[in-house]
Amino acid sequence: AEAFREVVERFGDAAIAGESRFQLADATLRSGRFEEAAKLFEEVAAENPKGPHAAESLYFAGEASLAGGDVERAAGFVGRFE
């Protein structure tokens, strides 16, 4: 996860940073840090709403929120898919 975080910090807006941010969110989710993962997935979708991971990121943001016990936040992601 730290390698993905480093790429995001070093390359900012570059395409590789977007992919790395998605991978970082996924690794964060898998490590059980649900609130942090939800925020990262939401950032991926917001930064590139037409990008390859946008809809998937919204889905996983909802899943992470639900896993973290935030049902209200998870419900907020419903219907945001394009």
Side-chain angles (χ1 to χ4, degrees):
E2 290 307 312
F4 295 125
R5 189 179 309 278
E6 184 178 329
V7 170
V8 169
E9 290 172 1
R10 286 185 72 197
F11 296 102
D13 295 334
I16 191 170
E19 179 65 29
S20 291
R21 190 179 320 278
F22 178 81
Q23 296 300 329
L24 173 61
D26 184 54
T28 303
L29 176 63
R30 291 173 190 266
S31 70
R33 297 188 326 258
F34 302 120
E35 185 177 335
E36 182 182 353
K39 289 177 184 176
L40 288 167
F41 279 121
E42 192 168 17
E43 288 174 11
V44 170
E47 288 174 359
N48 192 356
K50 301 288 184 194
H53 294 297
E56 185 178 18
S57 292
L58 290 174
Y59 171 81
F60 284 122
E63 286 288 315
S65 296
L66 188 59
D70 192 342
V71 176
E72 187 174 323
R73 184 165 189 228
F77 290 104
V78 175
R80 288 182 59 186
F81 299 95
E82 290 186 13

